[in-house]
Amino acid sequence: MATHSTIRDVARSADVSLGTVSNYLSGKKPISDVMRGRIEAAIAELQFVPNAAVRVMQGGRSHVIAFIVPDSGNPFFLEVARGIEDFAIDNGHVVVTCNTEGDLERERHYAKALSEMRVGAVIAVASTSNELLLSTLQKSGVRVVTLGRQLPGGLFPTIAVDDLRGGFIAMSHVLERGHRRVAFLGAPDAESQIRERFAGCVAAYSDAGLDPAELLRVDADLNSPTARSAASRAILALEPRPTAVVCANDVIALALEAEAIRSGLRIPEDLAIVGYDDIEGAAIAPIPLTTVYQPRYDLGHRAAELALSENYPASTEPPFAPSLVVRTST
Amino acid sequence: MATHSTIRDVARSADVSLGTVSNYLSGKKPISDVMRGRIEAAIAELQFVPNAAVRVMQGGRSHVIAFIVPDSGNPFFLEVARGIEDFAIDNGHVVVTCNTEGDLERERHYAKALSEMRVGAVIAVASTSNELLLSTLQKSGVRVVTLGRQLPGGLFPTIAVDDLRGGFIAMSHVLERGHRRVAFLGAPDAESQIRERFAGCVAAYSDAGLDPAELLRVDADLNSPTARSAASRAILALEPRPTAVVCANDVIALALEAEAIRSGLRIPEDLAIVGYDDIEGAAIAPIPLTTVYQPRYDLGHRAAELALSENYPASTEPPFAPSLVVRTST
DNA sequence: GCTGTGAAATGAAATGGTTCACTTCTTGTC
DNA sequence: GACAAGAAGTGAACCATTTCATTTCACAGC
């Protein structure tokens, strides 16, 4: 494995000065066609590949965007990641997805690795656990953007979707369909997004002149398949059974749908279901799922744009608006 | 944003020489406790973070593993990625997932970026389109490992699963269940893995004393939801309808299941379905899916291990063995 | 007290691309 | 033909770390 050729080799081979080759590569200064031709020939001949590390060493930042996410397998984040990646590529960057799985040690590993790499930007799904690490990164000069919600202190620019409104339109929808005995299938309040969605549901419930205390609720660990199934069965076992269920996300909504089908219920006649997220599986489910769509691709795309923008940190943006996708399940 | 402090600042603040700080950081030479104490104090005080780029500039390679994949959203690759990531983290590396989406230009962008970054290793899902790029990378000193199948020429160490055997056990299973009119729901032969699976099916069909020419087959673009549904309907429209279908992967098997349920068929009585991959959705489908499990996490983990191993390139490994997961759908 | 030995510490040189003050060349104007 | 001004090209110095030949030091053995 021959050692790499350097800009000096290119300059010598093209009989041109160092600075001219550098100008050719960076495009910051114009150069003549003669020089350009000679340099290009030399680069091709020597198979020269510039060493990106040097720019970083000089005090620059590497063309890497880190995406810090608790569960990269979640279809929602996957789509966000696509948005980030597309923008990153168009701007000569590369994305490192850091899957923390909620593990603090893993978060620390990534924070250390990213600092040492001098990453250009970090886009992180907001959570209380990573707040400290993010502010450390920010202090060392990394552009940080949080996703989903504003972290207390307002330190970081944030791209969010209006979850309150999402919960509101989901609940309004089933109430308009005439349902009066409704349940919310969610997760413990740790996640503030879930809390917001539930709050939106409560608001819609009140607005319809109903008593929010009568709104049923079952919680589950959304990341566990067995917990999802168990919570779904718990919903179906409520006496009397709700006629409609608004779910915290599509993954658990689909679990509920599967359980309902298995126990012989007709959807939407016996049970209406509303999901949240509009993941791919929602449209191709046995009973296509009514759900709240979040512009997740745009979310990621916009976050990357903000992170790399000239005038970072910009003032925090107004949240994106979710919309209802009505399908068969209601 | 104060500029970063350097190893020189640390040396000065700790009243110690440059080299000693370097030795402390790398651990390559022992140093006394006195020095250690002074250095640690200085590092803490200055909030020093070493600049990883310099090591790379000195001719080393960055602690980055690139995972080149045509569709990072595919649950199969997600799990492979988890295996890679876990190994990477344990070895102080970080993973860049490069989602090519089969786009040649995108592949080229990544090849360029990865070369310039001097990535340490590349793990790529084998495809004919990336062969040239991979060999270019390898020539420039990057460790390349291909995944799924050996690329012609045998240039790269490979980690694979025995798809021939997978197809064989899937087909054997439905034949043992007594089915005699069987279809294969797959994709055009471009993907050699699908080809292998089909070949395994044909082998099992012959072994059972049946005429392989009678084995039905429908193909679809596996990446398109609408194509999957259309192909599923095509299977159900065959006259006479097959009593069992072996599918090229779980995603399309689930589409078939959904279509079958929608048209009122009972599974497995009217139609038995076997998938391939054992994705998460297979177990929680309305009718839990019988499928061929591939040790995908191990696949990724082993690939990363191979890529970073001392004695890369090792001789190519024997393929991993798939196994059948029997559930309700057969 | 002298020497030999090994451990620890030192700092100049090297790594490769960018920067910038400086030189050289070209073109236009009167 | 002289001169100004802008364009293009040059190369030494710089960035933050590692490497390694050299120096320093402590201590054991005689």
Side-chain angles (χ1 to χ4, degrees):
Chain A
M1 176 195 65
T3 167
H4 282 103
S5 41
T6 75
I7 197 178
R8 280 187 168 75
D9 300 327
V10 172
R12 196 179 322 121
S13 163
D15 196 21
V16 150
S17 83
L18 259 187
T20 305
V21 180
S22 178
N23 289 336
Y24 166 81
L25 290 171
S26 68
K28 289 191 179 172
K29 295 248 177 132
I31 63 172
S32 71
D33 289 347
V34 183
M35 298 282 136
R36 167 169 282 109
R38 297 225 300 263
I39 291 172
E40 283 173 355
I43 286 177
E45 189 200 350
L46 297 171
Q47 301 191 43
F48 167 75
V49 177
N51 188 336
V54 180
R55 190 177 316 120
V56 177
M57 193 204 63
Q58 311 265 32
R61 298 220 144 252
S62 68
H63 285 180
V64 171
I65 299 179
F67 179 36
I68 301 182
V69 67
D71 170 20
S72 62
N74 180 318
F76 181 83
F77 294 133
L78 272 174
E79 190 71 7
V80 174
R82 274 198 43 233
I84 295 175
E85 192 184 9
D86 283 355
F87 188 87
I89 286 199
D90 289 345
N91 290 272
H93 284 243
V94 134
V95 179
V96 174
T97 300
C98 306
N99 196 19
T100 64
E101 290 171 2
D103 176 5
L104 198 60
E105 194 179 345
R106 220 162 151 127
E107 262 175 33
R108 266 196 288 260
H109 162 85
Y110 274 122
K112 180 160 175 278
L114 298 176
S115 299
E116 297 190 357
M117 285 174 74
R118 305 284 195 262
V119 285
V122 168
I123 297 170
V125 175
S127 96
T128 43
S129 79
N130 57 24
E131 194 177 347
L132 179 63
L133 294 172
L134 293 181
S135 76
T136 308
L137 281 169
Q138 194 180 46
K139 264 182 228 139
S140 78
V142 182
R143 292 147 168 255
V144 176
V145 171
T146 57
L147 215 62
R149 67 185 169 98
Q150 174 90 260
L151 279 176
L155 287 168
F156 317 111
T158 299
I159 306 282
V161 170
D162 193 339
D163 284 301
L164 191 75
R165 172 139 190 83
F168 188 90
I169 62 180
M171 180 60 75
S172 300
H173 173 68
V174 297
L175 294 176
E176 276 165 20
R177 286 279 200 269
H179 295 277
R180 284 299 172 267
R181 185 165 171 82
V182 185
F184 179 81
L185 176 51
D189 263 352
E191 285 297 320
S192 86
Q193 287 178 281
I194 308 288
R195 200 158 53 227
E196 289 284 296
R197 289 172 196 178
F198 182 67
C201 287
V202 169
Y205 208 75
S206 303
D207 280 15
L210 300 167
D211 177 5
E214 288 176 2
L215 184 53
L216 303 166
R217 177 162 180 178
V218 172
D219 285 340
D221 174 2
L222 298 180
N223 295 319
S224 152
T226 54
R228 291 194 295 262
S229 299
S232 299
R233 284 191 297 272
I235 285 272
L236 300 179
L238 290 174
E239 281 292 348
R241 197 178 50 236
T243 63
V245 180
V246 175
C247 302
N249 70 22
D250 281 353
V251 177
I252 195 159
L254 292 176
L256 174 63
E257 183 180 303
E259 288 294 337
I261 292 174
R262 201 168 304 163
S263 61
L265 295 176
R266 290 167 307 156
I267 300 173
E269 294 82 358
D270 300 331
L271 185 74
I273 302 177
V274 182
Y276 205 112
D277 284 346
D278 195 24
I279 65 177
E280 187 173 329
I284 61 172
I287 310 290
L289 190 68
T290 292
T291 187
V292 177
Y293 171 78
Q294 304 195 63
R296 44 196 185 268
Y297 176 90
D298 296 338
L299 209 63
H301 201 270
R302 189 78 193 83
E305 196 180 333
L306 178 55
L308 297 186
S309 79
E310 294 290 325
N311 55 352
Y312 172 95
S315 57
T316 287
E317 314 244 322
F320 282 56
S323 56
L324 192 72
V325 181
V326 180
R327 297 209 182 88
T328 322
S329 73
T330 51
Chain B
M1 174 198 63
T3 166
H4 281 104
S5 43
T6 76
I7 198 176
R8 273 191 171 74
D9 300 328
V10 173
R12 195 179 321 118
S13 163
D15 195 22
V16 150
S17 84
L18 260 188
T20 305
V21 180
S22 177
N23 289 335
Y24 166 81
L25 290 172
S26 68
K28 289 190 181 174
K29 296 251 177 130
I31 63 170
S32 69
D33 290 347
V34 183
M35 298 283 136
R36 166 168 284 109
R38 297 223 301 263
I39 292 171
E40 283 174 355
I43 286 178
E45 188 200 351
L46 298 171
Q47 301 190 41
F48 167 73
V49 176
N51 187 335
V54 181
R55 193 175 313 122
V56 177
M57 194 205 61
Q58 310 266 27
R61 297 220 145 253
S62 68
H63 285 180
V64 171
I65 299 179
F67 180 36
I68 302 182
V69 67
D71 170 20
S72 61
N74 180 317
F76 180 84
F77 294 133
L78 272 175
E79 190 71 7
V80 173
R82 272 198 45 232
I84 295 175
E85 192 184 10
D86 282 356
F87 188 87
I89 286 199
D90 288 345
N91 289 270
H93 284 243
V94 134
V95 179
V96 175
T97 300
C98 307
N99 196 19
T100 64
E101 290 172 0
D103 176 5
L104 197 61
E105 193 179 346
R106 219 159 151 131
E107 263 175 32
R108 266 196 288 260
H109 163 84
Y110 274 122
K112 180 158 174 279
L114 298 176
S115 299
E116 297 189 358
M117 285 174 75
R118 304 283 194 262
V119 285
V122 169
I123 297 170
V125 175
S127 95
T128 42
S129 79
N130 57 25
E131 195 176 346
L132 180 63
L133 294 172
L134 293 181
S135 75
T136 308
L137 281 169
Q138 195 180 46
K139 264 183 229 138
S140 78
V142 182
R143 291 148 169 256
V144 176
V145 171
T146 56
L147 215 63
R149 67 184 169 99
Q150 175 89 260
L151 280 176
L155 288 168
F156 317 111
T158 299
I159 306 281
V161 171
D162 193 340
D163 284 300
L164 191 75
R165 172 142 190 81
F168 188 89
I169 62 180
M171 181 58 75
S172 299
H173 173 68
V174 297
L175 294 176
E176 276 166 21
R177 285 280 201 268
H179 295 278
R180 283 299 173 269
R181 186 167 169 80
V182 186
F184 179 82
L185 177 50
D189 262 351
E191 286 296 321
S192 87
Q193 288 180 278
I194 308 288
R195 202 159 51 226
E196 290 283 296
R197 289 172 195 178
F198 183 67
C201 288
V202 170
Y205 210 73
S206 302
D207 280 15
L210 299 167
D211 177 6
E214 288 176 0
L215 184 53
L216 304 165
R217 176 162 181 177
V218 172
D219 286 338
D221 174 0
L222 298 179
N223 295 321
S224 151
T226 55
R228 289 194 296 261
S229 298
S232 300
R233 284 191 296 273
I235 283 274
L236 300 179
L238 290 174
E239 281 292 347
R241 186 164 17 83
T243 62
V245 181
V246 175
C247 302
N249 68 23
D250 280 353
V251 177
I252 194 159
L254 292 175
L256 174 63
E257 184 180 302
E259 288 293 338
I261 291 174
R262 201 168 304 164
S263 62
L265 294 177
R266 289 167 308 156
I267 298 174
E269 293 82 357
D270 301 331
L271 185 74
I273 303 177
V274 182
Y276 205 112
D277 285 346
D278 194 24
I279 64 176
E280 185 172 329
I284 60 172
I287 311 287
L289 191 66
T290 293
T291 186
V292 176
Y293 171 77
Q294 304 194 65
R296 43 197 187 267
Y297 176 90
D298 297 337
L299 210 63
H301 201 269
R302 188 79 192 82
E305 198 181 332
L306 179 56
L308 298 186
S309 79
E310 294 290 323
N311 55 351
Y312 172 94
S315 58
T316 287
E317 314 245 323
F320 281 55
S323 56
L324 191 73
V325 181
V326 180
R327 297 207 183 88
T328 322
S329 73
T330 52

